[in-house]
Amino acid sequence: MLILIVGLVIFFCVHSVRLVAPEWRASNISKNGSMRWRIRFGMITLLATAFIIMGYMQMRMAPVWLWFPPVWTRHLAGLLMLVALFFVGSALVPNTTMKKKVGYPMLIAVKIWAFSHLISNGNLADIIVFGSFLIWSIICFAIYRRRDRQAGIVRDQESGVQFDLAAFTFAMVSWFAIVFYLHQAVIGVSPLV
């Protein structure tokens, strides 16, 4: 469990720099350059992700079950994941309606992803991982939205159906790839059973 906790702490610390120290982040990027910042950020994120995966896999070897979710929660989780992937697509594709309306579609995607996995899994490792991601994303979203309102930020970029259609296409392709191949290959659990 220690490896999992260390990985989560590193991951959330790195991904919360913009949240707790935006001025330090901006000065560091201007001093060292955007590319160097992204490389460092990416390498630390990869290390943290490796710790999370190792710790999670270790805990799954001897699971501590807190409850046994009903079968229908897996079906609901599958549907919610399609919605989450649409928000991921909306974050990646420029000028989408969701980006214009909510500002932070990736954080909404993380919320939905974490919630869907919380309702469909009942062991301690799942609670730690998905619960911590859910709490972190809720806090980040609330703080970023409050900052935007206080700063008077208005997202008035032009959005169009073609951008939303690209996000939807991304969601569908990703969903099918994850459900029918990637989830089993990477996590070792098929969402279809």
Side-chain angles (χ1 to χ4, degrees):
M1 184 187 305
L2 181 62
I3 295 174
L4 176 63
I5 300 298
V6 168
L8 288 169
V9 167
I10 293 170
F11 187 92
F12 292 133
C13 285
V14 168
H15 283 81
S16 298
V17 168
R18 183 176 168 206
L19 184 72
V20 297
E23 295 84 14
W24 177 81
R25 177 183 177 270
S27 68
N28 206 315
I29 289 173
S30 65
K31 187 171 88 174
N32 296 317
S34 177
M35 186 56 72
R36 183 176 287 179
W37 173 265
R38 290 181 184 186
I39 289 171
R40 288 178 184 165
F41 183 88
M43 291 178 70
I44 295 171
T45 299
L46 281 174
L47 176 69
T49 304
F51 279 3
I52 292 169
I53 292 170
M54 286 188 310
Y56 182 74
M57 293 302 185
Q58 282 179 354
M59 287 186 73
R60 282 188 54 208
M61 297 299 234
V64 176
W65 289 98
L66 303 176
W67 78 84
F68 295 96
V71 174
W72 63 266
T73 59
R74 291 187 206 145
H75 305 299
L76 179 58
L79 180 62
L80 288 172
M81 282 308 300
L82 182 59
V83 176
L85 288 167
F86 175 71
F87 278 101
V88 171
S90 296
L92 297 175
V93 175
N95 302 327
T96 59
T97 302
M98 286 299 128
K99 196 179 287 184
K100 181 178 180 180
K101 297 283 184 199
V102 299
Y104 303 95
M106 188 64 81
L107 286 173
I108 293 175
V110 172
K111 283 190 221 181
I112 297 169
W113 166 80
F115 177 74
S116 68
H117 283 76
L118 271 176
I119 64 169
S120 61
N121 296 285
N123 71 48
L124 182 60
D126 297 316
I127 303 298
I128 291 171
V129 172
F130 302 119
S132 61
F133 271 97
L134 181 60
I135 291 167
W136 173 80
S137 60
I138 288 170
I139 291 169
C140 286
F141 187 80
I143 291 173
Y144 287 148
R145 292 286 288 180
R146 187 177 312 119
R147 281 185 187 171
D148 288 354
R149 282 193 298 274
Q150 289 173 350
I153 293 175
V154 177
R155 290 176 178 78
D156 57 355
Q157 78 269 12
E158 191 173 322
S159 60
V161 175
Q162 69 273 22
F163 302 114
D164 297 329
L165 187 58
F168 179 74
T169 303
F170 170 86
M172 292 302 293
V173 170
S174 300
W175 188 84
F176 277 102
I178 291 167
V179 167
F180 291 104
Y181 178 70
L182 291 174
H183 205 280
Q184 172 73 40
V186 175
I187 307 298
V189 177
S190 173
L192 298 173
V193 292

